[in-house]
C-alpha cells in the first residue's frame, strides 16, 4: 500500500526530512516502511510517498502530520509583548510551571551578563543552576527573536565508571550523556513543545564532536561540562560562533573527568580570554547551591577534606 503526504514549502521539507534526510531514514527504520521523495518543479515543495502495511503507514503519517502541525502552531503564536530580556528576576515563563527566576545574587549577575555580552564563561560547583539557567536564557533569547535556534553540546566523557559498549544508533549511544540537558528543557517546555522544537531543528542537543566544521549564526550556543574539554576542543568550539550568536561555557573545576586533570581547557580559558571585548566571566560558590540543602553541606565537607589532604601531601 502507498500513501502520500504533500509538503508545501522548504520549511516543511526540512521538518519532515531533517538534515541529509536523517529524520526520514529514522522514520523508515522505526516503522519498517519505505519513503520516496518527489520534489516539485520549482523545488519549493515535495510529495512523500510512503509504502508499507496499512497500520504502519497510518502511524508514520500521524507522526509526520503532528510534527508539521506543532511547528506551524509555534510559528503562528503571537509575538511576546515584553521585549526586555530580564525583568523582576524572571528569566522565562513556562506555560504550565512556575516562572524561572534568579534565586541568588550570583545567578542574577549571570543572567545579566548573558544578555550584555556575546560570550559568558561560568564556573561553579554542582547544584548552582548553571545548566538550567543557561537553557532558560536560551529560550528567552529565542522567544525575543534575538536568535533563531538553540544548540547545546557536551563532551562525551565518562564520569569515573566505564559504561562499555552501548547498543543502538549514534543518538541512542550519546543520549545518556546528554540527559541532564533534556531534563532541563522538558521541565521548561513540556515534552510536546520540546519535541516540536527539536524536530523543527530549532533546538539541537549534540555531542561536542558534532560541532567541528560548522559556522553557527543567529544561534544561542551552550557548552556544558566544559571542564572535560581539551584545549583544542575548546578552541574548536569557540570559533564556531557566527554573526548574531551568543555563547555560554559552563563548567565545574571540581568535577574534571579527564585522565589528566591539568589538561582541562577550562583551567586556562580565563587567562586566555582575559581582557577580550565581549567576554564576561561568572563564578558560583557553595552559597549559590539551589538543590537540596544537604548538597551545600556536602560541598563544604569535600572542600575541607581536600584542603586537609593537600596539607598532608606537603
Amino acid at each position: 500500500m502507498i500513501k502520500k503526504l504533500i509538503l508545501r514549502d522548504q520549511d516543511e521539507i526540512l521538518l519532515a526530512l531533517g538534515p541529509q534526510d536523517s529524520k526520514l531514514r529514522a522514520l523508515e527504520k522505526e516503522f519498517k516502511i519505505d519513503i520516496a521523495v518527489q520534489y516539485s518543479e520549482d523545488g519549493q515543495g515535495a510529495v512523500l510517498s510512503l509504502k508499507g502495511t496499512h497500520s504502519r503507514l497510518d502511524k508514520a503519517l500521524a507522526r509526520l502530520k503532528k510534527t508539521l502541525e506543532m511547528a506551524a502552531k509555534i510559528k503562528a503564536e503571537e509575538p511576546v509583548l515584553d521585549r526586555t530580556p530580564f525583568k523582576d528576576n524572571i528569566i522565562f515563563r513556562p506555560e504550565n510551571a512556575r516562572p524561572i527566576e534568579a534565586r541568588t545574587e550570583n545567578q542574577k549577575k549571570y543572567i545579566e551578563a548573558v544578555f550584555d555580552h556575546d560570550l559568558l564563561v561560568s564556573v561553579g560547583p554542582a547544584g548552582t543552576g548553571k545548566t538550567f539557567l543557561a537553557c532558560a536564557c536560551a529560550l528567552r533569547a529565542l522567544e525575543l527573536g534575538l536568535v533563531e535556534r538553540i544548540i547545546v553540546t557536551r563532551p562525551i566523557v565518562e564520569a569515573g565508571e566505564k559504561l562499555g559498549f552501548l547498543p543502538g544508533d549514534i543518538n541512542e549511544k550519546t543520549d545518556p550523556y546528554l540527559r541532564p540537558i533534556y531534563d532541563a528543557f522538558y521541565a521548561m517546555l513540556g515534552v510536546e513543545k520540546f519535541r516540536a522544537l527539536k524536530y523543527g531543528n530549532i533546538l539541537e542537543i549534540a555531542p561536542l564532536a558534532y560541532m567541528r566544521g560548522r559556522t553557527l549564526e543567529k544561534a544561542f550556543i551552550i557548552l556544558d561540562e566544559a571542564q572535560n574539554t581539551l584545549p583544542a576542543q575548546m578552541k574548536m568550539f569557540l570559533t564556531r560562533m557566527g554573526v548574531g550568536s551568543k555563547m555560554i561555557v559552563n563548567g565545574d573545576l571540581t568535577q574534571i573527568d579527564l585522565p589528566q586533570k591539568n589538561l582541562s581547557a577550562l583551567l586556562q580559558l580565563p587567562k586566555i580570554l582575559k581582557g577580550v571585548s565581549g567576554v564576561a566571566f561568572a563564578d558560583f560558590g557553595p552559597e549559590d547551591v539551589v538543590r537540596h540543602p544537604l548538597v551545600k553541606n556536602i560541598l563544604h565537607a569535600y572542600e575541607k577534606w581536600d584542603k586537609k589532604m593537600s596539607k598532608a601531601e606537603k
Side-chain angles (χ1 to χ4, degrees):
M1 177 177 286
I2 296 177
K3 293 191 176 184
K4 297 188 176 184
L5 178 67
I6 296 173
L7 305 177
R8 296 168 295 180
D9 52 37
Q10 286 291 323
D11 288 342
E12 290 195 349
I13 291 174
L14 184 59
L15 281 168
L17 274 61
Q20 298 179 339
D21 295 351
S22 58
K23 291 182 183 177
L24 219 56
R25 302 289 80 86
L27 205 65
E28 286 181 317
K29 183 179 178 181
E30 180 179 352
F31 293 105
K32 296 180 175 59
I33 60 174
D34 294 314
I35 306 176
V37 185
Q38 183 178 358
Y39 292 93
S40 60
E41 291 184 4
D42 60 7
Q44 294 304 306
V47 176
L48 299 185
S49 297
L50 292 74
K51 184 179 180 181
T53 62
H54 182 78
S55 60
R56 289 174 179 170
L57 288 182
D58 284 346
K59 289 177 182 178
L61 279 171
R63 172 77 62 80
L64 284 166
K65 288 177 180 177
K66 186 174 182 180
T67 298
L68 296 176
E69 287 169 3
M70 292 183 69
K73 182 180 177 182
I74 291 171
K75 190 175 180 181
E77 285 181 350
E78 293 183 2
V80 179
L81 297 177
D82 179 11
R83 301 292 293 181
T84 57
F86 183 57
K87 185 179 180 181
D88 299 329
N89 277 1
I90 304 298
I91 315 161
F92 182 72
R93 296 181 184 273
E95 288 183 10
N96 300 309
R98 64 185 179 88
I100 310 300
E101 59 185 323
R103 295 171 62 181
T104 70
E105 190 60 30
N106 281 333
Q107 285 192 350
K108 183 176 179 180
K109 290 177 181 177
Y110 175 101
I111 300 155
E112 290 172 342
V114 168
F115 289 99
D116 289 340
H117 299 80
D118 290 332
L119 170 62
L120 173 66
V121 179
S122 166
V123 176
T128 50
K130 300 184 300 297
T131 300
F132 201 76
L133 287 174
C135 293
C137 288
L139 288 172
R140 182 61 173 154
L142 182 69
E143 191 176 52
L144 292 172
L146 301 176
V147 296
E148 294 177 352
R149 54 182 173 151
I150 299 169
I151 299 166
V152 190
T153 185
R154 275 187 168 195
I156 302 300
V157 178
E158 292 177 345
E161 57 186 324
K162 298 296 181 184
L163 300 179
F165 174 77
L166 292 175
D169 60 21
I170 189 64
N171 290 323
E172 292 169 323
K173 291 176 189 294
T174 58
D175 270 2
Y177 299 94
L178 303 170
R179 181 53 51 186
I181 299 168
Y182 283 94
D183 290 344
F185 281 116
Y186 281 157
M188 286 180 269
L189 294 172
V191 176
E192 286 197 1
K193 193 163 186 178
F194 169 81
R195 286 177 177 169
L197 291 177
K198 193 167 182 288
Y199 281 116
N201 290 320
I202 297 170
L203 173 59
E204 178 183 347
I205 302 172
L208 181 58
Y210 283 24
M211 298 297 107
R212 186 174 298 279
R214 303 176 65 181
T215 301
L216 306 172
E217 298 187 346
K218 288 283 287 181
F220 199 112
I221 313 152
I222 301 168
L223 171 58
D224 207 33
E225 299 291 337
Q227 75 274 5
N228 289 327
T229 60
L230 296 169
Q233 291 176 305
M234 181 65 77
K235 183 180 179 182
M236 178 275 291
F237 171 76
L238 293 176
T239 53
R240 299 309 93 199
M241 182 185 282
V243 177
S245 288
K246 282 183 174 291
M247 273 188 172
I248 294 178
V249 174
N250 281 334
D252 179 359
L253 292 175
T254 68
Q255 294 191 9
I256 300 173
D257 299 314
L258 297 170
Q260 293 180 270
K261 297 183 186 297
N262 63 316
L263 294 181
S264 170
L266 193 60
L267 286 168
Q268 57 181 240
L269 195 60
K271 300 174 185 176
I272 294 172
L273 298 181
K274 184 179 180 180
V276 176
S277 178
V279 180
F281 298 89
D283 292 304
F284 292 107
E287 68 277 7
D288 297 302
V289 172
V290 291
R291 289 183 184 167
H292 191 288
L294 185 57
V295 174
K296 190 179 297 186
N297 297 335
I298 290 170
L299 288 170
H300 277 303
Y302 268 96
E303 191 176 342
K304 285 173 65 178
W305 177 260
D306 289 340
K307 287 180 180 177
K308 184 179 178 180
M309 290 297 100
S310 296
K311 287 181 180 179
E313 289 174 2
K314 293 177 182 178

